[in-house]
Each structure stands twice: as structure tokens, then as C-alpha cells.
Amino acid sequence: MTIDPRHFAEGVFLVFAALLPIVNPLGAMPVFLAMTRRSDDATRAILARKVTINSFILLMASVFVGTYVLEFFGLSIPVVQVAGGLVVCAVAWDLLRGADATDKTDALDLHNPETVATEAFYPLTLPLTVGPGSISVAITIGANHPQSVRSFLTASLSSVLGVLLTCVVVYLCYRYAERLSKWLGVVGTAVVVRLMAFILLCIGVQIMWNGIDALMGITGPARVVPP
């Protein structure tokens, strides 16, 4: 059984192109830096690696088992959007108020792997990097897998590689976030952080509204990604 290289490459590009704008590591990078401002470079490198691994696991789980998990608990994508949008809004609001989680990062300790792992998952992975929009897109990708064995294999491999490429971009952006900060300067970084926090708040509201819109049937079927 052979795989059509052209079809495979198109599948990889489609997955990558669908996920990257929603994950938006470039936009999240200054927020990541703000949340880890009082961490040293070694801790930030560990966090970047753990966030990348966590993001890959979350996205792959969403692609391959997300639909079944939602069905098992009787949940719908609009409900996930409403709940996830609330979480995104909460994180963004803290950043806008100046509570940018630097107090929490004071407790990070390279000799305490559990603390680092906890911070890497929440809030740095979920919802900052992989939020409800990303999860919704990944679930949609998995729900559209074809039924034939060859097509399913091609689509699955394309999804894995597309997610992997997205996570590589996440790692590069987070790992070298400090260099961007030095280039922007203190004032520039503060401006970018607040701007991205406001955009993150708007994204959270939009995700939540998409879910409410779909649940109430205001304008038709649900949109699984923010416009």
C-alpha cells in the first residue's frame, strides 16, 4: 500500500495552516515571556520544552479521540467553546489588570519538577497555547478522517506531521522569547503584552459567543474556530 506524496503533502499543509493561526505562538510569545519574567533562562527552556510536549499531546488527543470523548460525556463543541472561552477571558483579564502571573512564577524551582510541570500545563499550555479554538479545530480535523484504510492512514500521518510542525514553531517562539524582549525593550514588551492580552480577551469572548450562538441557534450551525 503506497501513499500519494502529493496528497500527503497537501494534508500536512492543510493541518498546519488550520492550526497555526489559532495556536498563534507569535502572538502568545510576549504573554509567555511575561508569565515567566522572573524565571531564569534554564527554567524558561524547560518550560518551553514541556509546553511544546503538552501541546503536541493535547492536539493529537483532540484529533484522534476528541470526538469520542465529547460523545462519551454527552458534550458538544459549542459547550467546549463556551467553557474554554471563559477560561481564556480569565487569563487575559488578569494580564490586562497587571496580574501577569509573575507572582506564580516566583515559586518555580528547577529542583521541584512537579511545580514546573504544573505551571507548564496550566496556564502556559492550556489555555494560552492550546485553547478551545485549537481543540475545536483539532477535533474537526479528526472527525473528517475518511473511512478507507489507505485514506485514513494518509490523513492520520498528515495530521501527526502537521501538528508536529505547529509544535516546533511553538517551541522556537517560546524558547527564544527573551531575545525578542531585548529587541523590543521594556516599554515595547509591556505594550505588546497588554495589546496581546486585549486581543486574547477578544478571542475568548468571540469563542464564547460562537458557542452561545450555536447553542441558541441564532444564526445557524456552530463555527468551530474564531473568525
Side-chain angles (χ1 to χ4, degrees):
M1 182 173 57
T2 59
I3 296 177
D4 182 5
R6 179 174 173 274
H7 184 64
F8 176 75
E10 288 177 351
V12 173
F13 176 77
L14 287 174
V15 173
F16 180 70
L19 287 175
L20 188 63
I22 307 302
V23 175
N24 191 18
L26 286 173
M29 181 168 56
V31 181
F32 171 84
L33 187 61
M35 288 182 170
T36 59
R37 184 175 299 147
R38 296 183 184 178
S39 301
D40 56 28
D41 186 67
T43 302
R44 192 175 292 114
I46 292 174
L47 288 170
R49 184 173 67 252
K50 288 184 177 293
V51 168
T52 301
I53 295 172
N54 291 340
S55 298
F56 181 79
I57 293 173
L58 275 177
L59 290 174
M60 292 308 303
S62 299
V63 169
F64 289 103
V65 301
T67 302
Y68 305 107
V69 171
L70 293 183
E71 290 179 354
F72 178 80
F73 288 102
L75 301 174
S76 63
I77 290 180
V79 171
V80 174
Q81 289 177 310
V82 173
L86 284 172
V87 176
V88 173
C89 288
V91 173
W93 184 249
D94 284 342
L95 288 169
L96 280 174
R97 291 191 304 116
D100 58 9
T102 53
D103 292 338
K104 294 178 66 179
T105 56
D106 285 341
L108 289 177
D109 185 357
L110 285 173
H111 301 290
N112 188 347
E114 291 185 0
T115 302
V116 175
T118 301
E119 295 290 337
F121 183 78
Y122 180 86
L124 296 179
T125 300
L126 182 72
L128 177 62
T129 306
V130 178
S134 307
I135 292 174
S136 298
V137 170
I139 291 175
T140 303
I141 292 171
N144 292 331
H145 276 166
Q147 300 301 318
S148 68
V149 176
R150 186 172 70 174
S151 298
F152 177 79
L153 180 60
T154 302
S156 298
L157 292 176
S158 299
S159 297
V160 171
L161 188 53
V163 170
L164 181 61
L165 290 175
T166 302
C167 292
V168 167
V169 177
V170 169
Y171 176 78
L172 293 175
C173 289
Y174 287 2
R175 179 63 184 89
Y176 301 105
E178 189 173 11
R179 294 186 182 182
L180 176 65
S181 173
K182 291 179 179 179
W183 181 72
L184 290 174
V186 177
V187 176
T189 300
V191 170
V192 172
V193 168
R194 291 300 184 271
L195 177 62
M196 294 312 304
F198 178 72
I199 293 175
L200 190 65
L201 178 63
C202 294
I203 290 174
V205 172
Q206 180 65 65
I207 292 171
M208 191 166 49
W209 174 251
N210 288 346
I212 295 172
D213 185 13
L215 289 172
M216 297 182 63
I218 297 176
T219 61
R223 292 166 292 177
V224 297
V225 296

